[in-house]
Amino acid sequence: MQDRWGFTTRRRWGGGVMGALMALLLVGCGQPRVAQCNQLADVVNQTQGFMQEFETEIQAFSESAAQVKDLDDIKLAASQYTSAVDKVVVNLNGLVDDLETTSLQDETLADFRDSYIDVVEGFSEALDDARQAMDLVVTAESEADLPARIEESQEQTMRAVAAIEELSQTESQLINEVNAYCGAAQPAE
């Protein structure tokens, strides 16, 4: 059932990508740039904690979803998913707030920060779309209602997954640009 929702096996962003890649080993840059690169990395690295929690909750959802027996079990598992997504969206919105209040004098870093804000806001919107899709299952009133709800949910989830995958590519490119600008070693993928 994990693939049924699409989202759980395809997500590749946040703490796993940006957090790990933004552990900057800065050498050869002017000190002000180093400090600002580290400042930006510190804010972005917040994703590591809440993304690990999110992945744990999604794993619990997957386990629950694999063992559903009736409509109540399905709705409970779907509620677990929407709750996990709601939490991560709140955390992403907090990250946007933190990024917006991060003062960077270096114009290039400020542009990177603004681009990353756009990416994080996109992730937040796509995840909210995925949550709304799963909410169709949560609000199913009968088992007869369920097949149509699941089909509609899958369609909406697949659109959200496509948006997340596109944003992941944008994020990866942005990471490489920030790392190059800040003088960090390029990570092996």
Side-chain angles (χ1 to χ4, degrees):
M1 202 159 175
Q2 185 172 11
D3 285 337
R4 166 179 274 180
W5 310 115
F7 175 76
T8 59
T9 59
R10 294 185 178 94
R11 192 201 59 72
R12 186 191 152 250
W13 64 277
V17 177
M18 190 64 163
L21 301 182
M22 289 297 293
L24 300 174
L25 303 171
L26 301 172
V27 290
C29 294
Q31 186 58 32
R33 184 188 300 176
V34 170
Q36 289 180 62
C37 285
N38 286 331
Q39 181 182 8
L40 181 59
D42 287 345
V43 174
V44 170
N45 282 336
Q46 293 176 43
T47 61
Q48 288 179 341
F50 69 77
M51 287 311 300
Q52 288 173 350
E53 179 183 336
F54 177 64
E55 289 178 9
T56 299
E57 290 180 17
I58 291 300
Q59 181 62 37
F61 155 75
S62 297
E63 291 168 9
S64 295
Q67 298 184 22
V68 296
K69 294 182 177 90
D70 58 25
L71 180 61
D72 289 336
D73 289 347
I74 293 169
K75 291 171 74 167
L76 181 63
S79 292
Q80 195 174 8
Y81 176 90
T82 59
S83 176
V85 172
D86 285 342
K87 283 183 196 176
V88 82
V89 166
V90 166
N91 287 324
L92 288 171
N93 292 339
L95 177 60
V96 167
D97 292 342
D98 291 347
L99 285 165
E100 288 175 340
T101 60
T102 300
S103 177
L104 299 169
Q105 302 306 313
D106 184 295
E107 286 185 38
T108 302
L109 283 174
D111 288 343
F112 286 140
R113 177 203 54 217
D114 294 345
S115 294
Y116 195 66
I117 288 170
D118 291 341
V119 169
V120 173
E121 288 175 335
F123 282 134
S124 182
E125 290 172 20
L127 285 168
D128 190 55
D129 290 346
R131 186 205 49 77
Q132 289 177 28
M134 188 61 74
D135 203 42
L136 292 170
V137 175
V138 172
T139 59
E141 293 184 19
S142 69
E143 287 191 29
D145 221 12
L146 201 55
R149 292 286 185 122
I150 288 175
E151 184 176 338
E152 187 177 351
S153 176
Q154 286 176 322
E155 290 170 10
Q156 288 181 12
T157 299
M158 294 311 294
R159 286 191 299 271
V161 167
I164 288 168
E165 288 173 346
E166 187 175 317
L167 287 161
S168 293
Q169 291 174 1
T170 301
E171 182 188 38
S172 291
Q173 180 181 0
L174 181 60
I175 291 164
N176 289 335
E177 291 171 9
V178 170
N179 284 340
Y181 184 75
C182 290
Q186 294 298 313
E189 288 199 25

